[in-house]
Amino acid sequence: MGCCSGRCTLAFICGVQLVTILERQIFDFLGYQWAPILTNFVHILTVILGLFGTVQFRPRYVTGYAVWLVLWVTWNVFIICFYLEVGDLSKDTDLIMTFNISMHRSWWMENGPGCRVTPVTPPPSWAPEDHRYISISGCLLEYQYVEVAHSSLQIILALAGFIYACYVVKLISEEEDSFDFIGGFDSYGYQGPQKTSHLQLQPMYMSNREKAARPPAHLGEDARAPSGGSVRFHALGGWMTVTLFLTMAAKITPIIIELTAGDQGT
């Protein structure tokens, strides 16, 4: 039950991470923020692998997901420090977010809640010809705080995901150990199916006459199945008995005839 609740919670956290990072990825694309775009893409792939490992009981995938969350937290802490200009960092630096490819800033800079964009004419001499020079005012929330809020949300989700990832890996390892202890395949080895005979015994029905003629089973095999020698011995004894009976009949018959004739003469 604990493993199910832990896995379900981790799967829910991964789902929320996917939704929030996809939303952030869209706005980073609109602002041409190439460094966050690449980092978000790696984060999306890792979260998908972590979700797969959670559902399919793959502790290695969940472990890799937990390790990535440490790097993800570090990156978002850097983003917060960058937009709040902690130390020598400056949010106006083009090299970090856009790799110095363009002068674009965060999409929220011009499209934040309540922001009014006013073109400045004529533009200053140092402004590039293919860029417009604007003035932004009236924002209810400055763009750097919007970016800080995005990164703070990702840090909170990453910390929760890291805790539950470690918990799920521990539970999966304990389940594997208990399976080995009670006789899993890893501890005793797999034994293939035993060969069975294809000969099937069929019931045999006997009539009452056959049962009466069949000798009892307690007499043994000799009584139920006589050998050839005993058969020949019984045949010889019968032939001698018949011969002796015929010989005696041939000797007694003349005597009986003489006695019968003498009685008739007297």
Side-chain angles (χ1 to χ4, degrees):
M1 186 67 179
C3 182
C4 180
S5 61
R7 289 172 53 240
C8 293
T9 305
L10 182 57
F12 175 76
I13 293 174
C14 291
V16 175
Q17 283 182 319
L18 286 177
V19 173
T20 55
I21 198 59
L22 287 174
E23 176 266 337
R24 186 177 184 182
Q25 183 78 317
I26 292 173
F27 292 114
D28 286 339
F29 264 113
L30 295 175
Y32 299 96
Q33 306 292 297
W34 300 115
I37 287 172
L38 295 177
T39 311
N40 294 342
F41 181 73
V42 176
H43 182 63
I44 291 172
L45 292 180
T46 308
V47 172
I48 293 174
L49 291 178
L51 181 61
F52 175 78
T54 303
V55 175
Q56 297 293 328
F57 292 91
R58 303 292 180 86
R60 293 183 180 180
Y61 286 46
V62 181
T63 303
Y65 164 76
V67 172
W68 166 252
L69 290 181
V70 176
L71 302 178
W72 181 245
V73 170
T74 304
W75 167 254
N76 283 277
V77 170
F78 170 76
I79 294 296
I80 294 175
C81 295
F82 174 79
Y83 280 106
L84 295 180
E85 296 183 335
V86 177
D88 296 333
L89 297 174
S90 175
K91 63 179 181 295
D92 297 326
T93 304
D94 298 328
L95 178 62
I96 296 178
M97 293 299 166
T98 63
F99 298 138
N100 208 22
I101 297 176
S102 65
M103 296 179 62
H104 289 85
R105 298 292 185 267
S106 172
W107 182 84
W108 298 101
M109 183 178 182
E110 301 179 18
N111 301 276
C115 293
R116 292 191 301 270
V117 179
T118 304
V120 176
T121 55
S125 58
W126 52 265
E129 296 181 357
D130 57 344
H131 287 71
R132 60 175 182 161
Y133 191 72
I134 60 176
S135 174
I136 302 173
S137 61
C139 293
L140 299 178
L141 188 64
E142 296 292 335
Y143 75 95
Q144 62 268 25
Y145 299 115
V146 176
E147 296 290 351
V148 168
H150 276 94
S151 296
S152 301
L153 177 61
Q154 293 299 321
I155 290 175
I156 295 174
L157 293 176
L159 292 177
F162 180 82
I163 294 173
Y164 273 94
C166 297
Y167 176 67
V168 169
V169 170
K170 177 177 177 295
L171 289 180
I172 294 177
S173 301
E174 289 179 353
E175 285 190 354
E176 291 179 349
D177 294 340
S178 62
F179 177 74
D180 294 340
F181 177 76
I182 63 176
F185 297 119
D186 295 336
S187 58
Y188 294 100
Y190 174 72
Q191 294 182 357
Q194 302 294 331
K195 293 183 178 179
T196 58
S197 176
H198 296 285
L199 180 61
Q200 297 182 355
L201 298 178
Q202 300 293 337
M204 183 176 63
Y205 300 96
M206 298 177 62
S207 62
N208 295 331
R209 184 177 300 177
E210 292 176 346
K211 291 180 180 180
R214 187 180 179 86
H218 66 275
L219 295 180
E221 295 294 334
D222 293 339
R224 288 180 287 172
S227 61
S230 61
V231 172
R232 289 193 297 271
F233 175 77
H234 288 297
L236 181 59
W239 175 254
M240 293 178 62
T241 301
V242 171
T243 304
L244 180 61
F245 176 76
L246 294 176
T247 303
M248 293 179 62
K251 292 182 178 180
I252 294 173
T253 299
I255 297 175
I256 293 174
I257 294 173
E258 291 178 359
L259 292 177
T260 302
D263 291 338
Q264 291 178 355
T266 58

